[in-house]
Amino acid sequence: MPQLLASQTRNVELMSHLASYSELLVAVTGPQGAGKSALANALAAQRELPDDTVFVTASIMLGMPSVLSAIANHWDMPAIHEDSAQSREMIRNEALTRAEDGGGLLVIIDQAEQLDADTLNGIAHFALLAPQAISFALFGEQGFEAEFRNSPAQAPVHVLQLEPLTLDDAVLLVGQVYGEDGICPLSDQEVAKAIEISGGWPGALLLSAEKLIMAPGRAANTPRRASGFPLRNILGIAGIATLLAMFLLYQMSQEDEGEQQLADIAAEAAVAEALGQKPGPVKAGPQDFNYAEPASEPAASAPETTELPVTEVATVSASVVEQGQAPAKPEEDAVPAAPVAKAPVTEAKPGAAPAAPAVTPAPKTVSPVSVSRDEQVLLAAKGGYIVQLLGSHSEAGAAGFRKEWSDKVTGTLYQYQTTHNGKDWFVVVSGVYGSKAEARAAVNALPQKLRAQSPWIRPVTDAQKAIR
């Protein structure tokens, strides 16, 4: 299976955010071969709790009773054979009970264009019964979303229309499927031609690329483009390797020079001894100071050490200070000396092992939890509201989102870190606003692309609890 492309990864992040934090139904549309099934499977795999995801592949025979039955079977509930008010209420109560423990069910329906109008309306109506406990994401060809959005249930729907691949994404996809080690076997001109033929949709693009690759007489003259490791990285590594080699050669030459100097000194001494002359003084060079032996000096006798009680040691130190001498500097000036407790002096018995001195363990230090400047601002707020724009498991994705939109919104964007289902969760919010009405006005002033992602107005205390 090819890995998700950059644009596909962004779409999965958006769908995951909408499914987790909004009351919207998500409808993903695109022509055949647009990669809808790949996105549906990636969304199911990304869920923090895979057991709380129901994946259904639609058909013309699939109706609302089948959807309710799939949910009931997933939760090991009694079998459901009809779409009745009693069946819906039973599933709704189970969903709300699980939501109290932090759980939420995501129902993913692929090939949703095969569902009839009654089934789409039933899904939209059922989603309104427990919007915070059960979410729906439907993937289908273009056209079904209009009937879904205009159903009599009037449930809020977010429609995500897929877009054709860019040249860079197309090169990566062709390299993943047909290349060796991620290297695209087509030139940029050939990939551009495949995009023109296929419209840039992944399925048709791969078929066009296969025809170009299998075309007779093109392989010998087609340049290969690396979609993975860039050439500048290879040149950089080669340069570093060259510098390391030069450094090693320099070190070896320096060592050889030092050994040669020692050999010359030994030869001069041998010639002088043979002629009966006294060898001259050895002149130490900058490279042979490690090899020269120090001149022999008579060893000074070690002074006898006398153990003094603690009080006598303190008296000696005081007398040294009175005579103008500085006391010996401790090895670690930065650590204050701990007070020394006077231990009772006991006379050691002959043959007895000396008692081990008591060691006082150092106090343990606890590092305070650090918070970012954005988190400090949010924690300092005395009240008000924020508008949540993004929640992601990727810190780099959240930072990129904030950088992209910081100059395009009226409020200040803040980013804070918390946890969601046991994993790091990075949230980008706008605010802090003094009232809910002010927050709504800020939402209305957002760019259309951000408004379409259903910003979430929340009390700032929610963020403060999450940070703490």
Side-chain angles (χ1 to χ4, degrees):
M1 285 293 295
Q3 297 180 355
L4 289 182
L5 305 173
S7 58
Q8 293 174 324
T9 301
R10 289 193 297 270
N11 287 333
V12 172
E13 288 283 348
L14 174 59
M15 289 184 291
S16 178
H17 171 75
L18 293 174
S20 300
Y21 289 100
S22 72
E23 300 180 0
L24 293 172
L25 291 85
V26 181
V28 181
T29 68
Q32 186 176 4
K36 299 182 296 297
S37 296
L39 291 177
N41 285 279
L43 176 62
Q46 191 199 38
R47 293 278 292 175
E48 298 81 7
L49 298 174
D51 292 339
D52 285 340
T53 302
V54 174
F55 195 102
V56 179
T57 301
S59 66
I60 58 175
M61 301 299 295
L62 184 71
M64 195 60 198
S66 299
V67 175
L68 297 178
S69 178
I71 298 175
N73 292 337
H74 177 73
W75 282 340
D76 295 327
M77 298 174 59
I80 293 178
H81 302 288
E82 60 180 359
D83 179 16
S84 63
Q86 182 180 0
S87 300
R88 295 191 178 206
E89 188 67 18
M90 182 173 59
I91 293 180
R92 174 183 177 274
N93 293 336
E94 180 68 18
L96 293 177
T97 300
R98 292 173 177 266
E100 292 177 356
D101 298 330
L105 178 68
L106 173 62
V107 181
I108 299 176
I109 301 179
D110 195 15
Q111 300 181 18
E113 72 278 357
Q114 301 193 46
L115 299 176
D116 56 27
D118 290 339
T119 302
L120 291 174
N121 183 63
I123 291 174
H125 183 272
F126 179 71
L128 295 175
L129 297 180
Q132 294 294 342
I134 301 180
S135 303
F136 283 86
L138 290 82
F139 296 76
E141 294 186 16
Q142 292 172 330
F144 92 94
E145 74 280 4
E147 196 165 8
F148 189 41
R149 173 185 283 171
N150 299 325
S151 63
Q154 293 294 310
V157 180
H158 174 82
V159 178
L160 176 61
Q161 295 181 348
L162 300 181
E163 298 178 354
L165 298 181
T166 63
L167 176 62
D168 289 338
D169 279 351
V171 169
L172 289 173
L173 180 61
V174 175
Q176 290 179 14
V177 177
Y178 298 117
E180 297 179 3
D181 299 329
I183 299 177
C184 180
L186 299 178
S187 65
D188 286 349
Q189 291 77 11
E190 289 175 316
V191 175
K193 182 179 179 181
I195 293 176
E196 181 180 359
I197 296 173
S198 63
W201 302 111
L205 173 71
L206 291 177
L207 292 177
S208 300
E210 183 179 9
K211 292 180 180 179
L212 291 173
I213 293 172
M214 301 301 293
R218 62 153 297 278
N221 298 324
T222 301
R224 299 169 64 88
R225 167 174 171 171
S227 61
F229 209 62
L231 177 61
R232 60 178 180 272
N233 289 3
I234 299 176
L235 295 176
I237 293 176
I240 294 174
T242 303
L243 292 176
L244 288 174
M246 295 176 62
F247 177 75
L248 292 175
L249 291 174
Y250 174 76
Q251 291 290 97
M252 294 173 62
S253 64
Q254 294 292 80
E255 293 179 359
D256 293 342
E257 183 180 351
E259 294 177 357
Q260 184 62 39
Q261 290 182 2
L262 289 178
D264 294 342
I265 293 171
E268 292 179 3
V271 172
E273 182 177 359
L275 296 177
Q277 300 176 356
K278 185 177 180 180
V282 178
K283 297 181 180 180
Q287 295 299 328
D288 52 5
F289 70 93
N290 288 329
Y291 304 96
E293 296 183 0
S296 59
E297 296 180 357
S301 59
E304 298 182 358
T305 58
T306 304
E307 297 183 358
L308 298 177
V310 177
T311 54
E312 295 185 15
V313 173
T315 305
V316 172
S317 300
S319 63
V320 171
V321 175
E322 290 178 359
Q323 295 176 7
Q325 302 178 5
K329 184 179 181 181
E331 294 183 0
E332 297 181 4
D333 294 339
V335 181
V340 180
K342 297 181 181 180
V345 180
T346 59
E347 183 178 356
K349 296 181 180 180
V359 179
T360 303
K364 296 182 180 180
T365 59
V366 180
S367 301
V369 179
S370 60
V371 294
S372 65
R373 292 186 60 185
D374 288 0
E375 293 171 342
Q376 291 176 2
V377 173
L378 294 175
L379 289 173
K382 301 301 182 182
Y385 292 86
I386 55 176
V387 178
Q388 179 169 323
L389 301 175
L390 177 73
S392 172
H393 289 295
S394 170
E395 183 177 9
F401 176 88
R402 178 186 176 185
K403 182 178 180 181
E404 177 183 359
W405 294 102
S406 59
D407 297 333
K408 302 175 184 177
V409 299
T410 55
T412 303
L413 295 187
Y414 301 102
Q415 178 178 332
Y416 69 87
Q417 179 179 353
T418 182
T419 57
H420 180 56
N421 288 334
K423 295 182 180 180
D424 289 339
W425 188 253
F426 301 91
V427 183
V428 178
V429 300
S430 171
V432 178
Y433 304 103
S435 63
K436 203 165 188 178
E438 185 179 349
R440 288 197 189 97
V443 170
N444 294 333
L446 290 173
Q448 174 61 31
K449 187 174 181 179
L450 291 183
R451 292 202 308 272
Q453 298 177 12
S454 302
W456 185 11
I457 299 176
R458 309 175 58 187
V460 71
T461 53
D462 289 355
Q464 292 171 347
K465 294 176 182 177
I467 297 171
R468 291 169 181 158

